[in-house]
Amino acid sequence: MNPTPILRVEELYKSFGQTAVLKGFSLSIQPQEVAVLVGPSGSGKSTLLRCINLLDPPNAGRIWLEQEEITAAGVNPDRIRQRIGMVFQDFNLFTHLTALGNVMVGLTKVRKMHKKEAHELALFELERVGLVDRAGHYPAQLSGGQKQRVAIARALGMDPHLMLFDEPTSALDPELTGEVLEVMQQLASEGMTMIVVSHEMGFARQVASRVVFLEGGVVVEQGPPAQMFERPAQERTRVFLRKIADLDERSR
Amino acid sequence: MDEKMERVVELFGAVAPLLWQGTGVTLQIAALSLLLGMAIGLPAGIARVYGPRWLQQATGTYVVLVQGTPLLIQLFLVYYGLPDLGLTLGRLEAAFLTLGLNSGAYQAEYLRGALQAVPVGQMTAARALGMSQGQAVRSIVLPQALRLVLPAWSNEVVAMLKYTAVVFLIAVPDLMGQAKILASRYFAPIPIYLIVAVFYIVLVGITYGVLRQLERRLRVPGLTGEPT
């Protein structure tokens, strides 16, 4: 295994009030890896992503991003978040801005680019997700799949070293998930490091370099998709993945 | 009937010049008070939502004090009370200050509501891009909140036009002040107050029209307009 992971999570603990969500969670991600996180609801998947980009500060444990401990005291979270792209389940596109404006605002406000330069790069990113012809549309004028692709373009504009996807297709009608997964697959093939919370098993099989099964705030089992789907070591993994596969089947 | 009509027209001719002057004063007081109110209400509204706890409490107290007391008492306290503290204001200054402080509290509350109506995911997404909280408020949340607040703010503008009428009680010659003087000079209170009411209605009507136009101009699909 590559000795220098891009992300290392060590013994992470996070509770909300009395509810412990992450209970000593550890994970290590290599550059260009695509890790798909699966697990029952409440297993801490989304919380983990929000801890990684410091939206929810962990109660204990440490996180390193490219050799820098980002959970250390005195680290400016805004600076860290610029290196981590995040895509949300319900898109969270900025309602008052067009597709182009959504991609541009981070470039001008955070990366301090000039308008013209930001405009060009934003168009380039929209082109990457196949939406350059929708540049002038407001979020309300886009389909769910288009919204999520704009959200991906918005994150890509920041030139992230790591992308987090929090159930990116869960809010979409089944016929719209394909266009989003396609964009994600293309990103993976370009070498983007990705952590994806998703129950899209087809995507996991085809694109993931690793499937991580979480339950109760810890990693139960992880491995390459073939191993996880065909011959998991843990009974719980087998039962859960079977259930997801059945649901997948039924919805088709 | 014709004779009565003639008398009203004659009366109107006699009082119109002073009522015009009064209208000017009313508009001036309303506009400056709204501006002062905005200068107070904008930061106060933001502080109510995003400020440190002590500032949230301080602005909250200000809002409660203003909303919990009659405007007339506020006016008298400023005009007759402040001199005891060594601050003597002219009539117009007292009017601006009172109405501005009053409006600031209402505008802060409207803005607070609008800021809180912007879905929390907007802030999360902005922070995830690497924006500081200040940048996220300025670039993402506030532009949406200001559009959302426009209808409530329009009501505040219209209400202000009429609230200004209290300043006649400290002898400011606004539209209402002139009406009071003219009513006793011509012994014809009812026709004169009716004429003044029409003045107010026209002012309010024009203001409404301008504000509606502004709302239309700033409309964004899916935020304050139809999602098509």
Side-chain angles (χ1 to χ4, degrees):
Chain A
M1 229 180 164
N2 193 324
T4 54
I6 188 169
L7 178 82
R8 193 147 61 89
V9 176
E10 207 177 83
E11 286 291 301
L12 213 61
Y13 286 85
K14 178 70 186 176
S15 346
F16 296 98
Q18 294 295 309
T19 318
V21 181
L22 296 177
K23 303 170 187 167
F25 185 96
S26 297
L27 182 71
S28 186
I29 302 288
Q30 303 300 324
Q32 311 208 333
E33 243 200 301
V34 176
V36 171
L37 268 53
V38 299
S41 98
S43 58
K45 305 178 300 271
S46 297
T47 303
L48 175 68
L49 296 192
R50 292 176 61 94
C51 281
I52 290 174
N53 73 355
L54 305 176
L55 284 172
D56 278 333
N59 300 116
R62 306 207 279 177
I63 303 171
W64 284 265
L65 180 68
E66 300 174 313
Q67 317 286 60
E68 179 188 3
E69 192 197 335
I70 62 174
T71 41
V75 170
N76 176 6
D78 299 333
R79 185 173 59 79
I80 302 303
R81 293 192 194 111
Q82 291 176 38
R83 282 191 273 156
I84 305 177
M86 179 127 184
V87 174
F88 302 90
Q89 179 175 349
D90 33 19
F91 329 125
N92 292 349
L93 285 184
F94 303 132
T95 319
H96 65 303
L97 298 176
T98 60
L100 186 72
N102 265 275
V103 185
M104 271 179 73
V105 70
L107 306 180
T108 54
K109 303 291 173 188
V110 180
R111 291 184 70 185
K112 309 284 181 202
M113 282 185 180
H114 289 293
K115 265 245 162 74
K116 191 164 172 280
E117 199 186 349
H119 186 264
E120 270 167 33
L121 181 55
L123 283 178
F124 170 77
E125 298 298 355
L126 284 176
E127 179 82 68
R128 258 174 107 178
V129 299
L131 283 175
V132 79
D133 58 326
R134 292 284 186 278
H137 286 52
Y138 285 97
Q141 299 166 321
L142 299 171
S143 73
Q146 291 172 338
K147 280 184 211 175
Q148 196 59 299
R149 283 149 66 197
V150 172
I152 292 172
R154 175 175 69 179
L156 288 176
M158 302 306 289
D159 199 14
H161 301 188
L162 169 68
M163 289 274 288
L164 309 176
F165 292 84
D166 189 5
E167 307 209 27
T169 56
S170 300
L172 296 177
D173 291 334
E175 76 269 23
L176 299 178
T177 59
E179 61 187 69
V180 173
L181 294 175
E182 237 167 74
V183 168
M184 290 169 62
Q185 182 159 14
Q186 175 202 322
L187 267 183
S189 70
E190 289 167 10
M192 178 63 75
T193 312
M194 295 159 60
I195 303 180
V196 184
V197 171
S198 174
H199 287 160
E200 293 286 343
M201 290 302 109
F203 177 81
R205 270 176 202 279
Q206 283 174 35
V207 183
S209 52
R210 186 165 23 143
V211 174
V212 182
F213 175 52
L214 280 80
E215 197 177 43
V218 293
V219 174
V220 173
E221 186 176 357
Q222 53 181 317
Q227 176 197 320
M228 291 290 280
F229 288 114
E230 314 309 335
R231 40 182 200 292
Q234 302 284 330
E235 175 65 10
R236 269 144 75 198
T237 312
R238 198 188 58 76
V239 170
F240 181 79
L241 290 178
R242 184 71 250 157
K243 208 185 291 174
I244 295 294
D246 284 350
L247 285 174
D248 231 21
E249 209 102 318
R250 221 170 300 159
S251 71
R252 258 156 237 283
Chain B
M1 184 65 209
D2 275 356
E3 201 179 319
K4 242 184 186 171
M5 204 60 212
E6 254 170 55
R7 253 193 286 159
V8 169
V9 171
E10 197 179 315
L11 184 65
F12 183 80
V15 301
L18 282 178
L19 290 183
W20 273 121
Q21 274 180 33
T23 304
V25 174
T26 290
L27 283 176
Q28 194 190 358
I29 295 175
L32 288 175
S33 302
L34 281 166
L35 279 177
L36 178 58
M38 205 187 296
I40 298 170
L42 200 66
I46 294 170
R48 280 277 266 164
V49 182
Y50 296 108
R53 180 163 296 213
W54 65 269
L55 197 56
Q56 290 188 12
Q57 278 167 355
T59 47
T61 306
Y62 157 62
V63 167
V64 166
L65 286 179
V66 168
Q67 292 194 334
T69 54
L71 177 57
L72 207 47
I73 291 183
Q74 294 163 16
L75 181 67
F76 287 169
L77 282 178
V78 167
Y79 188 62
Y80 298 116
L82 284 186
D84 288 348
L85 301 175
L87 182 62
T88 306
L89 296 171
R91 299 173 202 287
L92 275 177
E93 286 78 24
F96 295 147
L97 185 63
T98 308
L99 288 166
L101 281 171
N102 185 279
S103 183
Y106 285 94
Q107 294 192 43
E109 275 303 271
Y110 294 141
L111 184 60
R112 179 177 70 94
L115 286 168
Q116 287 171 339
V118 175
V120 70
Q122 298 285 306
M123 176 59 102
T124 309
R127 297 308 300 273
L129 278 181
M131 288 190 195
S132 67
Q133 175 167 287
Q135 279 179 323
V137 170
R138 272 195 308 277
S139 310
I140 305 300
V141 181
L142 199 56
Q144 297 184 36
L146 288 178
R147 285 181 173 86
L148 293 175
V149 88
L150 215 53
W153 191 76
S154 301
N155 283 339
E156 175 65 13
V157 174
V158 166
M160 175 59 81
L161 278 173
K162 293 170 294 173
Y163 284 149
T164 53
V166 300
V167 302
F168 90 94
L169 285 163
I170 57 169
V172 172
D174 72 324
L175 190 48
M176 188 66 192
Q178 298 288 12
K180 188 85 171 55
I181 294 164
L182 293 169
S184 44
R185 182 185 299 169
Y186 289 95
F187 302 108
I190 300 299
I192 285 181
Y193 285 128
L194 277 175
I195 292 172
V196 169
V198 171
F199 268 65
Y200 276 110
I201 283 188
V202 171
L203 285 183
V204 167
I206 293 171
T207 308
Y208 255 130
V210 171
L211 289 168
R212 279 288 131 76
Q213 199 58 39
L214 185 66
E215 259 178 68
R216 214 163 297 145
R217 197 70 62 82
L218 294 174
R219 184 170 291 173
V220 169
L223 182 62
T224 49
E226 292 305 302
T228 42

